[in-house]
Amino acid sequence: MTAKHSSIMSRRGFCLCCVGGAAFTATGGWLTPRAAFAEARGLVSLIKDSAAVSPIVTHKLRNNITVLEGSGGNVAVLTGPDGKVLVDAGIGVSRPQMTKALADLGADPVTHLINTHWHFDHTDGNAWLNSVGAKIIAHENTLGFLSHVQRVEDWDYNFVSPPANGLPSEVFASERSLSLNGQSINLKHYSPAHTDSDISVRFAEADIVHVADTFWNGVYPFIDYSTGGSIDGMIAASDANLAATTDKTIIIPGHGQPVSNKAELKEFRDMLAGVRENVAALKRQGRSRDEAVAAKPTAAFDGKFGNWVIDPAFFTRLVYEGV
């Protein structure tokens, strides 16, 4: 494992990372995706238990924008006289650590929270943030998904709706623009990608964009087919992100190393396309899903992306489902 891989492996920005320490101790090695997701209720509890004690790591960027790493997905924070603007809420049990991290960024109250999609590791903190003054903004599909029980088949888990104050109060269909703390903030809905509720959040003057779970930096991504995700959508989202950024743009991924760039995003996009092509070829040959897994179609990319809970076999199964 390279030093970079080791650094990524040590981080808690990936919502399933919390499996790592406890599972490694209990089993003598990483849980396989089959074992981990078969015990999804225990897995979600494990994620929350770990988030309750995990430290929050602060990464200061530019133009008063910071990334907080350690509670679910990577959380962006814009500070200023209009109040703190958060992109994603993390996991609710991280409230004490998140409260301290936010206080360390200044005394301005939290006034706005943007959800990039509906998954619990990005929205579980909605209710407490709303209780301290945050207006919650999201795509209309995020509100729809959060308003009802959602079953994620690949996790074998049913997610219940949050309390009423954990639901977005302001939604949009395609794009929404905000002007806060000297930043023009553009929210834009993707076509179905990681889910059918994903949005990007661009801070124009800072040239920073949070692309959420359409980009997992240095690890294979989860694709939620249960709520509209697809491998083709992930590739299309990566293409859109590449077209909208330059070599100077700071890109914030949903998971993995939280401060990224166009070169790393392109590497991720090329991995998605390469694995898709390999799996599609096997499927055209009539190979079953298990036969496709056995053929190791991700082999060329495993050294970079395969050292995580979503291992090569599990990612192959996700791609196979979508081609």
Side-chain angles (χ1 to χ4, degrees):
M1 184 182 300
T2 66
K4 185 173 184 181
H5 288 153
S6 180
S7 174
I8 292 172
M9 287 289 286
S10 71
R11 296 183 176 275
R12 295 187 178 272
F14 173 30
C15 68
L16 301 179
C17 66
C18 313
V19 171
F24 193 94
T25 300
T27 67
W30 293 98
L31 282 178
T32 66
R34 179 182 294 275
F37 286 103
E39 297 296 333
R41 183 172 300 278
L43 175 61
V44 172
S45 297
L46 185 59
I47 291 168
K48 292 184 177 182
D49 288 347
S50 184
V53 297
S54 295
I56 301 299
V57 180
T58 299
H59 304 265
K60 291 193 175 181
L61 306 182
R62 58 194 179 209
N63 295 62
N64 296 318
I65 297 172
T66 301
V67 177
L68 302 181
E69 176 192 13
S71 177
N74 295 318
V75 175
V77 185
L78 169 65
T79 59
D82 294 321
K84 294 186 178 78
V85 181
L86 271 63
V87 180
D88 282 336
I91 298 173
V93 292
S94 298
R95 179 174 181 173
Q97 303 97 295
M98 287 288 287
T99 298
K100 181 180 184 306
L102 289 168
D104 288 344
L105 297 178
D108 301 317
V110 178
T111 56
H112 295 78
L113 167 62
I114 301 164
N115 289 154
T116 62
H117 63 293
W118 77 270
H119 281 159
F120 88 104
D121 52 321
H122 300 258
T123 61
D124 193 62
N126 278 12
W128 83 261
L129 285 163
N130 177 261
S131 74
V132 299
K135 176 172 67 173
I136 304 173
I137 305 169
H139 186 261
E140 59 189 11
N141 288 350
T142 293
L143 175 59
F145 290 139
L146 290 177
S147 298
H148 306 281
V149 174
Q150 294 301 323
R151 178 169 179 79
V152 176
E153 290 294 341
D154 287 303
W155 291 31
D156 190 26
Y157 192 84
N158 296 324
F159 289 91
V160 300
S161 299
N165 68 331
L167 296 174
S169 60
E170 184 177 316
V171 298
F172 63 96
S174 180
E175 292 191 51
R176 174 81 165 86
S177 294
L178 305 168
S179 181
L180 296 164
N181 296 327
Q183 288 292 317
S184 303
I185 306 171
N186 182 252
L187 318 181
K188 188 172 183 179
H189 182 233
Y190 296 98
S191 297
H194 171 65
T195 69
D196 190 22
S197 59
D198 308 307
I199 65 169
S200 62
V201 181
R202 174 177 296 278
F203 300 93
E205 288 79 7
D207 194 16
I208 294 173
V209 59
H210 197 316
V211 298
D213 280 11
T214 67
F215 176 27
W216 298 47
N217 191 16
V219 294
Y220 287 133
F222 179 63
I223 303 171
D224 186 3
Y225 290 91
S226 297
T227 52
S230 74
I231 179 62
D232 289 341
M234 288 288 285
I235 295 169
S238 293
D239 287 337
N241 292 332
L242 288 168
T245 54
T246 73
D247 292 340
K248 295 181 180 179
T249 305
I250 295 176
I251 301 172
I252 303 171
H255 298 285
Q257 168 61 36
V259 184
S260 191
N261 54 53
K262 190 169 185 175
E264 290 180 334
L265 173 60
K266 186 176 188 304
E267 189 175 10
F268 175 78
R269 185 267 177 210
D270 290 346
M271 175 277 294
L272 293 177
V275 173
R276 188 210 182 281
E277 181 179 351
N278 293 344
V279 173
L282 292 168
K283 201 167 186 179
R284 286 194 299 268
Q285 294 168 14
R287 305 283 190 97
S288 68
R289 188 181 68 172
D290 289 345
E291 288 171 338
V293 170
K296 302 185 184 303
T298 64
F301 306 98
D302 290 346
K304 166 75 176 182
F305 296 94
N307 300 291
W308 208 252
V309 174
I310 298 181
D311 71 0
F314 191 75
F315 186 58
T316 298
R317 289 192 287 270
L318 287 172
V319 175
Y320 187 93
E321 184 174 347
V323 299

